[in-house]
Amino acid sequence: MTDLHTNYLGLPLRSPLVASAGPYTGDLDRLAELQEAGAAAVVLPSLFEEQIEHETNEIDRLFHQHQESFGEAMSFLPELDDYNTGVDTYLALVEAAKQRVDIPVIASLNGTNIGGWIKYARLLEDAGADAIELNLYEIAADPAMSSAALEGEQHELVALVVEETRLPVAVKLSPFYTTLASFVVGLQEAGARGVVMFNRFYLPDLDLETLDVMPRIALSTPEEVRLPLRWAGIIRPHVTMSIACSTGVHSGDDVAKLILAGADVTMTTSALLRNGPGHLATIEEGLRDWMSEHEYESVAQMRGAVAIDAVADPEAYERANYIGNLAAYTSRFLDTHPIGLRKG
Ligand SMILES: Cc1cc2nc3c(=O)[nH]c(=O)nc-3n(C[C@H](O)[C@H](O)[C@H](O)COP(=O)(O)O)c2cc1C
């Protein structure tokens, strides 16, 4: 029997298959189904900085309004009990999830500015979360902000969140950093116990009739797994913290590749939304099949076996033999598309 055990952020897990933040992990029945299908841990959908700040502002506003009318602020406070806030709902989800499933429950905080919301890391801890994923989902769109300044701020933010809680903190990144390897090493120095590579940005589209800019969610394809694959392979030798890979994990083969490159766990959302929570069992079966066929007894034995420092041609992870690949593609294309058949 193949041994799938792994460790993520100091948490021992039965396998490397984790359900990443998404609609299913925000629903208690789905969480139970994910556990049943073999999820080793789940990451809840993110609680957003904007939700917290809005709510804090709203509470301040109500507080001041009543302070003026009644003069006695404290007399108003009991009324806040009925005020069902976004944060309260989220904390209730963390508590309920912990009661519903036995696997580790990772709460997710989304924030990019240093602010009062950071203290909510403590509330997630009190609600029973086993770890915190800090989701740095930010588009660097301000031309006055240099990459060094932005990355420095983000390292500082991570250090502040780490200081706020005793829980292990993982940081979920977009792939769009100028110097990703150096940034990830900095996350470890700031106290992060793990990195999640990567979040997937939802790209806008233009409606050519109305000229409206519309956000559109598109699920990932298995092809996309090559992005986290490259970075797991490159980063593995440089950090001791956990590496989670997210984006494009649809099959057991995808999981096998990422672990060989150096991931401790792999995370899945799109494939579950497409095929249902039970798809995790299919992914696990695929991983076990691959391992038996290739005589690997354990995930521990596989982990990092093909990271950049373990392969004969490290260049393959970096430029991926850019010129050679382009030349081979072009000659294959010309062979299979004779002049008469080519369009344009
Ligand atoms: C509908 C939807 C909602 C998501 N919500 C969150 C979220 O709240 N927080 C987060 O960190 N990632 C969120 N994600 C991103 C996923 O967790 C995951 O990182 C991303 O989809 C790439 O993995 P995949 O290829 O398995 O889908 C969401 C993804 C989808 C499709």
Side-chain angles (χ1 to χ4, degrees):
M1 189 67 171
T2 41
D3 176 3
L4 299 188
H5 285 95
T6 188
N7 190 295
Y8 181 53
L9 312 175
L11 304 166
L13 301 187
R14 68 169 287 278
S15 87
L17 307 185
V18 175
S20 39
Y24 280 170
T25 61
D27 179 283
L28 293 176
D29 289 340
R30 295 297 196 186
L31 283 178
E33 284 173 51
L34 288 166
Q35 172 171 271
E36 180 71 28
V42 287
V43 185
L44 302 183
S46 302
L47 173 62
F48 288 85
E49 173 186 338
E50 291 86 341
Q51 266 173 290
I52 301 172
E53 295 289 359
H54 168 77
E55 182 175 302
T56 311
N57 292 341
E58 187 64 6
I59 290 172
D60 280 352
R61 190 183 65 74
L62 289 168
F63 192 84
H64 278 106
Q65 201 177 318
H66 286 256
Q67 201 174 27
E68 278 157 24
S69 26
F70 303 122
E72 177 52 78
M74 295 310 287
S75 65
F76 168 64
L77 280 178
E79 290 183 35
L80 281 177
D81 287 347
D82 295 335
Y83 183 65
N84 191 14
T85 64
V87 175
D88 284 344
T89 309
Y90 194 83
L91 296 174
L93 171 68
V94 176
E95 278 174 22
K98 280 300 293 175
Q99 280 174 8
R100 191 69 187 265
V101 294
D102 304 323
I103 49 181
V105 171
I106 302 171
S108 167
L109 258 183
N110 175 291
T112 48
N113 302 301
I114 291 169
W117 62 272
I118 292 169
K119 66 175 183 294
Y120 286 82
R122 179 83 56 87
L123 295 180
L124 298 176
E125 178 182 329
D126 294 344
D130 294 286
I132 291 180
E133 189 175 280
L134 176 61
N135 172 13
L136 297 179
Y137 189 108
E138 183 173 22
I139 305 284
D142 177 0
M145 177 68 120
S146 73
S147 54
L150 187 142
E151 294 180 6
E153 263 184 26
Q154 293 195 340
H155 284 148
E156 198 185 331
L157 176 68
V158 171
L160 288 170
V161 174
V162 166
E163 215 171 87
E164 194 58 42
T165 171
R166 285 166 305 182
L167 296 179
V169 174
V171 183
K172 188 172 187 180
L173 301 180
S174 88
F176 304 115
Y177 283 84
T178 312
T179 50
L180 187 67
S182 140
F183 182 70
V184 172
V185 170
L187 291 177
Q188 180 169 279
E189 285 163 5
R193 296 282 296 277
V195 61
V196 184
M197 299 184 295
F198 296 101
N199 211 327
R200 231 170 133 254
F201 282 157
Y202 300 112
L203 303 170
D205 202 354
L206 259 193
D207 183 319
L208 282 174
E209 294 310 317
T210 62
L211 299 193
D212 286 329
V213 181
M214 307 168 315
R216 183 176 292 171
I217 290 190
L219 301 180
S220 70
T221 64
E223 273 292 294
E224 293 177 50
V225 80
R226 293 192 284 160
L227 182 68
L229 179 72
R230 158 179 278 165
W231 284 105
I234 290 176
I235 299 288
R236 182 72 277 167
H238 300 296
V239 294
T240 51
M241 69 177 170
S242 301
I243 295 180
C245 285
S246 166
T247 294
V249 178
H250 289 242
S251 68
D253 283 4
D254 297 334
V255 177
K257 287 177 193 175
L258 292 168
I259 291 169
L260 288 164
D264 297 284
V265 295
T266 63
M267 297 187 168
T268 308
T269 291
S270 290
L272 303 180
L273 290 176
R274 222 176 244 132
N275 304 302
H279 185 63
L280 266 183
T282 311
I283 296 181
E284 180 173 324
E285 200 183 314
L287 174 63
R288 285 189 191 279
D289 287 350
W290 187 90
M291 288 172 72
S292 332
E293 274 165 35
H294 296 83
E295 298 180 1
Y296 277 96
E297 283 168 11
S298 69
V299 159
Q301 190 191 1
M302 287 170 71
R303 180 175 160 272
V306 193
I308 196 167
D309 57 343
V311 291
D313 176 18
E315 219 258 355
Y317 269 114
E318 291 165 8
R319 276 167 64 88
N321 190 11
Y322 188 50
I323 298 176
N325 262 320
L326 287 185
Y329 180 87
T330 306
S331 88
R332 261 199 324 270
F333 179 82
L334 293 177
D335 284 351
T336 51
H337 293 74
I339 301 282
L341 292 178
R342 269 181 261 152
K343 291 198 179 132

